[in-house]
Amino acid sequence: MAIHITPENKLKKLIVVGDRVLIKPLTPHDRTSSGLYLPPGVQEKEKVQRGYVIKTGPGYAIPLPADSDEAWKPEEEKVKYIPLQVKEGDLAIFLVSGSTEVVYQEETYYIVPQGAILMLEREEDL
């Protein structure tokens, strides 16, 4: 059975691992705030980028205890995670040096560890 990828479900098959976040970068501005036009390639040299969080990983894995002195308990194979602060839909400002640029379905994304994200903007009321 073949699954057809549509614009609505093309990212559902992706699984982000660990403390990483998939970010769709915003289109760069071709002008400065004073009105000067920027040549191509200037935005790529920026140290900080911004974009919207598309998917997040499960978080930081918590190590399981090595010794099991309670033989009567059933063994659990489930891994537990400390969740990430980042949520889907957040606007993230992140370090480009700590991220990896990938192209998927002819779109450019960044895979960023949570430690490389500097700031988030969230739409929900605090």
Side-chain angles (χ1 to χ4, degrees), residues 14-23 53-61 81-88 111-114 117:
L14 293 179
I15 298 172
V16 181
V17 179
D19 71 327
R20 291 172 185 83
V21 177
L22 183 69
I23 296 178
V53 176
I54 304 297
K55 285 192 153 253
T56 64
Y60 300 98
Y81 294 95
I82 298 173
L84 300 178
Q85 186 176 8
V86 180
K87 294 183 181 174
E88 293 179 12
I111 298 174
V112 183
Q114 180 170 280
I117 296 175

Side-chain angles (χ1 to χ4, degrees), residues 51-53 85-92 120-123:
Y52 285 101
V53 176
Q85 186 176 8
V86 180
K87 294 183 181 174
E88 293 179 12
D90 289 348
L91 177 65
L120 297 170
E121 180 180 309
R122 190 168 292 155
E123 291 298 320

